[in-house]
Amino acid sequence: MKIATVLRNDDYTREVEQALKDKLASTPCEFVEGPDDHPDMVLSIGGDGTLLEAVHQYGVEPSYVGVHTGHLGFYADWRPEELDEFVQRLQQDRPAIVEYPIVDCRITMRDGAVHRKWALNELVLRNASLSTLVTCVYINGDELETFRGDGLIVSSPSGSTAYNKAVDGAIVHPSIEAIQLSEIASINNQAYRTINSSLVLPKHHEVELIVMNPEIMIGLDREQDIWRDVRSISCRVGQEKVKFARYKRLTFWSRVRNSFIKG
Ligand code: NAP
Ligand code: MN
């Protein structure tokens, strides 16, 4: 089995990687360096943010395993103290593969050019300046509303516990193939009105955000860029999924409890 690692940039994380490499030295596992080496498994060592970086570097081909060197995350199963157990399971067990849906995004420019992007957590749309974002929201071609406010988030199920949760979006189990549209500080008064609730859209439904501002900020997981002259952004559940190799049972709801209620 070919394994690649993606690390958070700190000394402790690098120590954990070295310890893991030492433990796997006498096994058939081979460590490789980058996407061109086509690893079977990518080990993310760090936090949930490190895992996001790993999936954008390696894509949907390999399966992912997370070791957390900070607090227990949503994408990481193993603590550094459990490396021996992990190494043992890696050699003996066939992992359960769980697949998490992604957000598929099509960004259409005013000149007609189209950019395809995707996110494991979410797409975030904000105005590039502090003034109001103005966006017409369409669902499956039907107008829903004109949104005015700070921004909009289109999250995946596994991203629903991240930024989406901070704006009171619902937590969606990753076995549900859906995307969620959530508002960031919408203006609701006598003149302007939005739905003011998060919307959960099933597979094959499409949310289209027609952009009125000349310059916007688009966030895709960790990446964020200022875009000029965007006409619209369309999001739907992606066809492909990100695969996680689960060598131990850790349910999504127990992660929710560990992260938000009791660690
Ligand atoms: P970060 O500032 O370290 O991320 C913020 C927090 O979100 C960290 O505690 C991170 O965990 C956690 N996180 C990431 N993905 C998660 C998930 N799927 N479920 C629950 N928690 C999750 O930045 P980052 O590490 O580069 O992560 C990028 C993500 O930060 C974005 O995708 C966005 O969801 C989130 N974010 C949240 C807010 C907010 O809540 N107001 C604002 C901006 C961005 P780790 O510490 O383990 O990395
Ligand atoms: Mn982080």
Side-chain angles (χ1 to χ4, degrees):
M1 176 158 60
K2 289 197 279 184
I3 301 178
T5 56
V6 176
L7 310 184
R8 185 166 57 200
N9 186 19
D10 64 55
D11 288 341
Y12 179 53
T13 298
R14 281 185 286 272
E15 275 172 34
V16 170
E17 186 210 27
Q18 193 52 54
L20 193 65
K21 283 187 166 171
D22 292 346
K23 287 179 199 300
L24 287 168
S26 56
T27 71
C29 295
E30 176 200 352
F31 282 90
V32 297
E33 284 302 322
D36 292 344
D37 292 332
H38 300 284
D40 306 292
M41 177 181 289
V42 176
L43 272 172
S44 150
I45 310 176
D48 285 335
T50 318
L51 191 284
L52 293 173
E53 208 168 296
V55 298
H56 283 281
Q57 208 176 327
Y58 285 92
V60 295
E61 276 304 306
S63 55
Y64 291 86
V65 173
V67 177
H68 53 90
T69 52
H71 52 91
L72 173 65
F74 273 84
Y75 296 124
D77 295 346
W78 296 92
R79 288 180 291 145
E81 308 86 81
E82 300 170 322
L83 287 187
D84 283 330
E85 188 189 341
F86 172 58
V87 167
Q88 198 184 352
R89 299 248 183 122
L90 191 63
Q91 293 175 88
Q92 288 170 2
D93 298 354
R94 269 177 157 266
I97 300 290
V98 298
E99 296 188 319
Y100 282 5
I102 58 176
V103 187
D104 185 76
C105 315
R106 216 175 59 238
I107 302 172
T108 305
M109 311 302 290
R110 289 186 207 274
D111 68 5
V114 175
H115 302 271
R116 296 293 302 270
K117 301 278 180 185
W118 60 277
L120 176 59
N121 266 359
E122 76 282 284
L123 172 134
V124 181
L125 168 61
R126 304 183 76 121
N127 195 8
S129 75
L130 284 177
S131 57
T132 307
L133 175 80
V134 183
T135 302
C136 299
V137 181
Y138 284 74
I139 295 180
N140 301 331
D142 292 330
E143 183 175 6
L144 174 75
E145 64 185 18
T146 299
F147 173 91
R148 287 181 173 81
D150 280 10
L152 289 163
I153 300 171
V154 183
S155 74
S156 71
S158 64
S160 69
T161 47
Y163 201 171
N164 168 75
K165 184 177 183 301
V167 298
D168 279 343
I171 296 181
V172 178
H173 193 279
S175 63
I176 299 172
E177 294 179 288
I179 54 171
Q180 181 169 185
L181 175 68
S182 293
E183 303 181 349
I184 310 171
S186 57
I187 302 175
N188 270 288
N189 56 26
Q190 300 280 10
Y192 305 129
R193 189 139 307 281
T194 68
I195 189 75
N196 210 13
S197 297
S198 290
L199 304 182
V200 178
L201 279 65
K203 212 176 175 184
H204 306 307
H205 282 213
E206 184 172 76
V207 56
E208 187 180 19
L209 310 171
I210 313 269
V211 176
M212 296 298 151
N213 308 70
E215 215 173 49
I216 53 169
M217 171 86 81
I218 299 178
L220 291 153
D221 296 334
R222 289 198 120 174
E223 179 194 313
Q224 43 191 288
D225 287 301
I226 290 182
W227 291 66
R228 283 197 68 81
D229 299 322
V230 172
R231 197 188 77 79
S232 70
I233 302 171
S234 299
C235 299
R236 52 169 62 228
V237 176
Q239 296 236 316
E240 301 189 284
K241 293 180 175 182
V242 175
K243 297 189 284 287
F244 291 86
R246 296 278 189 241
Y247 287 91
K248 73 167 160 189
R249 191 182 131 81
L250 197 56
T251 70
F252 178 73
W253 299 118
S254 66
R255 287 174 208 269
V256 169
R257 177 175 158 83
N258 284 332
S259 289
F260 300 119
I261 307 293
K262 203 172 183 160

